[in-house]
Amino acid sequence: MLQSKKRWNVQECDEHLVNEFVENLNITPLVASLLLNRGMTTVEAAREFLHVDAQTFHDPFLLHDMDKAVARIQQAIDHNEKIMIYGDYDADGVSSTSVMLSALQQLGADVDFYIPNRFTEGYGPNKAAFDKISAGGYQLVITVDTGISAVEETAYARELNFDLIITDHHEPGPVLPDAYAIIHPKLPGSTYPFKELAGVGVAFKLAHALLGELPEHLLELAVIGTIADLVPLVDENRLIARKGLDYLKLTKRTGIEALLSVCGVKREEINEDTIGFAMAPRINAVGRLQDADPAVHLLMTTNSEEAKVLAKEIDALNKERQQIVNDITEEAVEFVEGMYPPDENSVLIVEGEGWNAGVVGIVASRLVEKFYRPTIVLSIDSENRVAKGSARSIEGFDLFANLSKCRDILPHFGGHPMAAGMTLNSDDVEELRRRLNEQASNVLTEQDFIPITSVDRVCTTEEITLENIEQMSALAPFGMHNPKPKVLIKDVHTTSMRKIGANKNHLKLVFEDSGVSVDAVGFGLGYILDEVSPIAKVSLVGELSINEWNNMRKPQLMVEDISVDEWQVFDYRSAVDVKRFFQQVFTDQMKVVAFHASTIDKYKSLLPMEHVVLIQNEEQAKACMFAGEQIVLLDLPPSQKWLECLFIQGIPSRIYAIFLTEEDHYFDTIPTRDHFKWFYGFLAKKGPFDLKRYKEDLAIHKGWSKETIDFMAKVFFELEFVTINNGLISLVKNSAKRDLIESATYRQKQQQIEIEKNFIYTSYVQLKNQFQDIFKRSIE
C-alpha cells in the first residue's frame, strides 16, 4: 500500500443534472460536474457562470449608506475640502487605496493617502494617525479595506471634528463604529446581493457610484486585491477577476508594466497565478518590511523611470522578505517540535522575540501546511509587553468565532474564519494558548487533523482529452470557491515511472487504462518512485493541463497525490546491496524479519537491531502481528508453512523481499533414489567405509560432490540404516524398511529447494503470486 498525503473528498454529482447540463449547454460531462460542484444547480446559473463576460455589476447604491457617502464626498470635492484615503498595508489595501485615489483624482478632488506602519502603528485606524490627519487640515477621511473594528478611533475622529467614511469587508464585530457612513456588504440587515467582496471590491463599488458609470479602467487594480485577498471568486468577484485580468493584459499603467517586468511575466501569459504568485507577494513585501507607501506610488506613477526604480526596490524587498520568512519558519518549527508538539496541541501558538511582525502570517501558513493545525505566530516586543501576530486555520475551526470568545484578552483583532490578525499583552499568550486548545478539543477530531483535498470527479483515461481540458478553461479564473479542478484517476497501471529534475526530486510517469495512455508529472514527488512496486495499480489526484512542446499538444496530469490501495512487494533479491538498502531504503516504519540467527550475526553491523524480529519456529510466526505493517524478509524460513503462519494475523501493507541465503540448495545436486540405491549397495559390498579418508576419492569416481555423499550418509543415519563412528560408516544388519521422506534432513532439503524455487528463482510477477497464494492459505 501507499497512503495518500491527504484525505480525498470526492464530490458527488446528480447524474440527472449532469446530463441536463450536457444537453443544454453543449459541454462535456466532466465540465458539467465541475459546474455542479461549484454550486450551479440550474442550467441558467451554469450558463451565467460560463458566460461571465455577459454579466453586469450590481447597483452600488444597494449598499447601505452609499448615497450618504457619495453625497458627502461630492460635497467635499465641490468645496475643495482635503480628503484623506486611509488604507491598509497589504495588496488588497494598496490596490483599494489606488482605486480610490484614481477615482477621486479623476473627479478633481484634493486627495492624498495614509497607510499606517505595520510595526509602529499596527493594523487599522489609530488615534495618533488621526491627530496627524486632523493637523493637516483634512476634513474627510475614507478608510479602505479597514475600519470596521475601529470603534474607539471613530469616536476620536468625531472629537477631532472630521467626518469618517468607512469602507471595509472584514467581519463586523458586535458593536459598529459610529462613523458618518459605513459601506460594507456584510452589515447586519444589508440587502446587497453579494456579501464576499474584497476590500478593493468595496472601494470599486464606491468609485462606481461616485463616477456615475462603471469604471472599467480601474478593474486592473481591483483584480489585484480581489485575487490576492483570497475572497471567493464567484458572483461580482468572478466578474472583477475575469474582466480585470483582460484589462491587466492591456494595461497602460506605467507602474504595473514595470512590476510585470521584474516578475518576468509576459502580457499574454497573465492569469490569476500572475497576481497570486508574482505581483501580490511583491506588493505585500513592502508593507511587511517597511511603510507600504512605495507600493501605492508604484501603482499610481506615470513616470517610467520612477516606476522602474520602485519596481526594482520592491523586488529586492521581496527577496529580503523570503529570507526572513525562511529563517523564522525554521525557528518556529523547532519551537513547535521542542515545546508544543502537534500530537499534544490542537492549536499551535508560537512566539519569538523580535520576529518581523510583517511576515508572521506567511510563517503561520507554512506551519499549517507542515503540521495541519490552526496556528498563530506572534512577534514579541518584551519592552512594551506586546505580542502582535497572525493566525491561519484549518477546515472545521472558525478562527474569528473562536478568537471572539477571547475578546477580554484580545484588545485588538479582526479577520475571517480562516485567517486573522491580533495584538495582545504578551503576558496573556499562555492563557490564549490554553483557551484555544480547550475550544479546539471540543470541536476538532483526529480526522480533522488530516489535510483534505477536494476532488471534483473520478475521471477515466478516456475523459482526459484536449477538448475537455480546453472546455475547463471557461471556468477560469480560479480561486477561492472556484478552485482549479482536481480529478481522481483510480487504479491504473503505470507503463513507465522515473525521477526527473537536477536533484531527481520530481516524478515523470505514464499511466494506462482501457488502451489509453496519459503522461503525468508530479513536482516534488520523486520519492514516490521507491514506494510503488512495478505492477501495482495506482490512484492519482491532480490537475489536468495541456503540454505544448515542439508544436505538439498533449493532455497531461499534474499529479499532487498518489496512493496504492493494494499490498505491495518490493524485489531486492537480485545482487542486493544490503548496505545500500538499509542506508537508503529502510525507514523506521519497517520491521526486519529473520528466520536464522546466523543471518543476523553476519549482517549485524548493518541491521537496525531495534527493528529486527527473529522467528525460530511456527508458533513464534503465528504470534506475529504484521497486519498493515511494512516488513523486510531478510532470509527464507525452512519451509513455506512458516510464511503461512507469519500472515495468519493479517496481510502486511508492504513486503521487501531480500532473502539472503548461506547456500543455494536449489542448484545443489539432490540425490535421486538410484543414487541412494547405489550407495547402499556399495556399503553392503565394501563393508565399513572410512568417509574421512576415502570420501573425496568416491566423489571423483562417481562425479558427485562431497556434500552429496555427506547428505546421503546423514539420511541413512536418520533412517537407522547405518551407524557412523568417527567417520566410519557401517550398514546396520536387518534394518527395517523405511522411505527416504521419513528422514528430517531429506524433507528439509526438499522444502528448501521448493521454497528457493518459489521465492528466489522466480520472476517478479511469480513472486507476487506466490505471496498471494500464501495469504489465501493463511486465512483458510
Side-chain angles (χ1 to χ4, degrees):
M1 295 184 71
L2 171 63
Q3 185 65 45
S4 59
K5 294 183 296 182
K6 298 183 179 181
R7 286 180 286 157
W8 298 348
N9 180 25
V10 182
Q11 301 185 57
E12 297 182 0
C13 289
D14 184 328
E15 289 303 318
H16 173 74
L17 283 176
V18 169
N19 294 332
E20 187 178 342
F21 280 19
V22 169
E23 289 181 19
N24 288 277
L25 299 172
N26 193 29
I27 56 178
T28 65
L30 173 59
V31 175
S33 299
L34 299 178
L35 289 165
L36 285 166
N37 292 343
R38 282 148 183 74
M40 312 300 135
T41 56
T42 66
V43 170
E44 189 53 41
R47 182 177 285 112
E48 287 183 5
F49 191 86
L50 288 172
H51 302 289
V52 61
D53 294 331
Q55 295 178 36
T56 57
F57 285 91
H58 302 308
D59 182 350
F61 286 97
L62 293 175
L63 283 161
H64 179 73
D65 276 355
M66 181 64 82
D67 52 349
K68 189 176 180 181
V70 169
R72 178 66 184 88
I73 294 169
Q74 192 59 56
Q75 175 188 327
I77 295 172
D78 292 343
H79 292 83
N80 204 31
E81 296 178 48
K82 296 177 73 175
I83 302 173
M84 178 67 75
I85 309 301
Y86 194 105
D88 188 26
Y89 34 64
D90 66 2
D92 190 15
V94 166
S95 57
S96 300
T97 302
S98 301
V99 163
M100 285 311 305
L101 282 172
S102 298
L104 290 175
Q105 286 175 357
Q106 186 175 334
L107 291 170
D110 182 358
V111 61
D112 203 349
F113 75 94
Y114 186 95
I115 295 179
N117 183 287
R118 182 193 294 263
F119 306 99
T120 59
E121 299 175 81
Y123 171 80
N126 66 83
K127 293 179 181 180
F130 278 1
D131 283 336
K132 295 177 188 176
I133 290 169
S134 178
Y138 292 90
Q139 297 162 279
L140 176 63
V141 175
I142 305 170
T143 74
V144 289
D145 191 35
T146 188
I148 196 62
S149 299
V151 177
E152 292 185 15
E153 292 78 7
T154 301
Y156 189 65
R158 285 189 174 276
E159 294 178 18
L160 295 175
N161 293 317
F162 63 77
D163 290 331
L164 181 66
I165 295 173
I166 292 174
T167 77
D168 201 355
H169 74 122
H170 295 95
E171 297 290 331
V175 179
L176 295 177
D178 185 19
Y180 182 89
I182 300 178
I183 301 174
H184 194 304
K186 289 185 179 180
L187 286 181
S190 172
T191 59
Y192 192 71
F194 184 58
K195 310 294 185 187
E196 302 297 333
L197 289 167
V200 73
V202 180
F204 183 79
K205 302 304 296 187
L206 178 55
H208 183 178
L210 284 168
L211 295 171
E213 60 181 8
L214 185 72
E216 294 204 6
H217 62 293
L218 299 181
L219 282 168
E220 62 184 323
L221 294 173
V223 68
I224 295 173
T226 297
I227 289 177
D229 215 51
L230 302 179
V231 291
L233 289 192
V234 296
D235 203 281
E236 274 192 311
N237 287 341
R238 176 168 166 76
L239 195 53
I240 290 172
R242 185 67 169 260
K243 288 180 174 291
L245 287 171
D246 289 340
Y247 276 96
L248 203 56
K249 292 177 181 178
L250 303 171
T251 187
K252 294 291 196 303
R253 282 188 176 258
T254 308
I256 290 180
E257 289 180 320
L259 183 59
L260 290 171
S261 178
V262 298
C263 292
V265 176
K266 299 176 182 177
R267 286 176 181 261
E268 62 272 17
E269 296 173 350
I270 290 174
N271 59 23
E272 61 271 24
D273 289 342
T274 304
I275 294 173
F277 299 104
M279 298 176 71
R282 287 170 169 81
I283 293 172
N284 280 326
V286 186
R288 293 186 189 281
L289 301 185
Q290 59 172 48
D291 287 329
D293 292 15
V296 177
H297 291 313
L298 175 65
L299 295 182
M300 296 298 296
T301 186
T302 57
N303 184 295
S304 60
E305 288 305 313
E306 181 187 20
K308 290 177 183 177
V309 171
L310 287 170
K312 288 181 180 178
E313 176 187 334
I314 287 172
D315 189 53
L317 285 170
N318 187 52
K319 289 183 173 68
E320 182 182 347
R321 185 271 309 168
Q322 289 171 331
Q323 186 58 54
I324 293 171
V325 167
N326 291 340
D327 293 343
I328 296 178
T329 300
E330 187 175 329
E331 289 183 50
V333 168
E334 291 179 3
F335 186 94
V336 169
E337 294 176 340
M339 298 283 291
Y340 298 97
D343 57 352
E344 298 176 11
N345 291 268
S346 299
V347 177
L348 302 178
I349 300 181
V350 296
E351 66 266 21
E353 179 77 31
W355 281 354
N356 187 307
V359 302
V360 291
I362 303 174
V363 176
S365 294
R366 290 197 179 180
L367 294 185
V368 170
E369 184 178 341
K370 181 174 180 63
F371 299 113
Y372 204 68
R373 296 286 191 280
T375 300
I376 299 175
V377 180
L378 298 167
S379 173
I380 303 296
D381 179 353
S382 57
E383 183 177 342
N384 297 307
R385 296 169 61 195
V386 171
K388 294 181 180 179
S390 291
R392 300 293 183 268
S393 196
I394 63 174
E395 292 293 332
F397 191 77
D398 186 322
L399 262 181
F400 187 80
N402 280 282
L403 288 171
S404 295
K405 297 176 183 177
C406 305
R407 285 181 181 275
D408 59 310
I409 58 173
L410 290 174
H412 199 78
F413 84 97
H416 311 286
M418 297 298 287
M422 70 205 68
T423 301
L424 68 156
N425 189 305
S426 58
D427 296 338
D428 292 328
V429 171
E430 191 57 43
E431 175 63 12
L432 181 65
R433 180 181 286 115
R434 185 193 67 77
R435 291 191 195 181
L436 289 180
N437 269 287
E438 183 178 330
Q439 290 166 211
S441 66
N442 293 328
V443 296
L444 295 175
T445 66
E446 285 302 314
Q447 191 77 356
D448 291 318
F449 296 128
I450 302 174
I452 301 173
T453 290
S454 183
V455 178
D456 286 285
R457 182 181 172 89
V458 177
C459 188
T460 64
T461 51
E462 292 98 322
E463 290 181 287
I464 303 177
T465 64
L466 291 174
E467 179 191 10
N468 257 328
I469 299 172
E470 287 168 344
Q471 278 197 16
M472 281 166 47
S473 65
L475 277 65
F478 299 110
M480 295 294 289
H481 290 204
N482 181 30
K484 289 184 178 181
K486 288 185 175 62
V487 298
L488 167 60
I489 317 296
K490 290 192 70 174
D491 297 331
V492 292
H493 285 291
T494 59
T495 57
S496 72
M497 189 182 297
R498 58 190 173 91
K499 295 179 181 181
I500 59 172
N503 298 316
K504 301 298 180 184
N505 56 337
H506 308 307
L507 189 68
K508 179 79 169 70
L509 65 147
V510 178
F511 60 89
E512 182 181 46
D513 192 45
S514 302
V516 179
S517 294
V518 180
D519 292 347
V521 175
F523 290 108
L525 297 180
Y527 68 93
I528 293 290
L529 181 66
D530 300 320
E531 301 193 37
V532 177
S533 55
I535 60 173
K537 288 185 175 181
V538 301
S539 295
L540 310 160
V541 164
E543 298 174 2
L544 296 173
S545 65
I546 296 175
N547 181 23
E548 299 191 29
W549 180 78
N550 202 22
N551 296 322
M552 296 268 298
R553 302 175 80 240
K554 291 177 63 178
Q556 72 175 357
L557 180 72
M558 305 306 295
V559 182
E560 295 182 8
D561 208 354
I562 300 178
S563 75
V564 177
D565 293 333
E566 60 187 2
W567 70 274
Q568 299 186 86
V569 60
F570 294 85
D571 189 356
Y572 286 90
R573 300 171 297 170
S574 178
V576 64
D577 181 348
V578 182
K579 183 176 181 180
R580 188 186 68 82
F581 176 86
F582 284 105
Q583 287 182 343
Q584 299 180 17
V585 180
F586 182 84
T587 69
D588 286 343
Q589 284 73 49
M590 298 179 191
K591 293 180 179 177
V592 180
V593 177
F595 299 97
H596 304 281
S598 58
T599 310
I600 296 176
D601 290 340
K602 183 175 181 179
Y603 295 96
K604 191 171 185 177
S605 63
L606 301 176
L607 298 177
M609 294 304 296
E610 66 275 18
H611 294 274
V612 174
V613 179
L614 175 62
I615 297 172
Q616 295 183 298
N617 56 57
E618 291 183 10
E619 291 306 314
Q620 288 180 354
K622 289 178 182 178
C624 290
M625 297 284 290
F626 290 139
E629 299 278 357
Q630 300 180 29
I631 64 170
V632 180
L633 294 180
L634 191 63
D635 54 16
L636 278 172
S639 74
Q640 292 190 188
K641 182 64 178 176
W642 287 38
L643 290 176
E644 293 172 19
C645 294
L646 193 65
F647 304 124
I648 284 176
Q649 305 277 8
I651 298 172
S653 63
R654 298 185 194 176
I655 295 175
Y656 292 84
I658 295 182
F659 297 149
L660 299 170
T661 57
E662 293 292 328
E663 55 182 312
D664 292 320
H665 296 273
Y666 182 66
F667 289 107
D668 285 349
T669 301
I670 183 168
T672 65
R673 290 186 180 273
D674 286 340
H675 287 82
F676 281 101
K677 184 177 179 181
W678 185 92
F679 189 41
Y680 189 90
F682 172 78
L683 294 175
K685 183 177 180 181
K686 295 291 185 180
F689 181 75
D690 192 340
L691 289 172
K692 287 185 177 180
R693 293 182 62 185
Y694 302 115
K695 177 172 53 178
E696 186 172 355
D697 293 337
L698 179 60
I700 294 171
H701 173 70
K702 294 297 294 181
W704 297 341
S705 67
K706 291 183 288 185
E707 289 75 19
T708 298
I709 297 171
D710 286 336
F711 175 73
M712 289 191 294
K714 189 174 182 181
V715 170
F716 281 168
F717 179 79
E718 290 178 354
L719 295 175
E720 298 178 342
F721 291 169
V722 300
T723 60
I724 303 175
N725 185 15
N726 197 27
L728 193 67
I729 183 169
S730 305
L731 283 180
V732 175
K733 293 181 179 180
N734 301 318
S735 59
K737 284 190 175 182
R738 300 177 66 181
D739 195 278
L740 294 174
I741 200 66
E742 295 181 58
S743 162
T745 297
Y746 188 84
R747 290 198 308 273
Q748 185 178 355
K749 185 74 169 180
Q750 284 194 319
Q751 290 170 351
Q752 285 294 143
I753 290 172
E754 183 69 14
I755 199 169
E756 287 183 11
K757 181 183 76 172
N758 291 339
F759 288 91
I760 295 182
Y761 304 108
T762 54
S763 68
Y764 174 84
V765 173
Q766 290 171 327
L767 176 65
K768 184 164 186 179
N769 289 337
Q770 286 292 339
F771 276 115
Q772 194 68 55
D773 291 341
I774 280 182
F775 295 157
K776 289 179 182 177
R777 291 197 295 272
S778 295
I779 60 176
E780 287 178 353

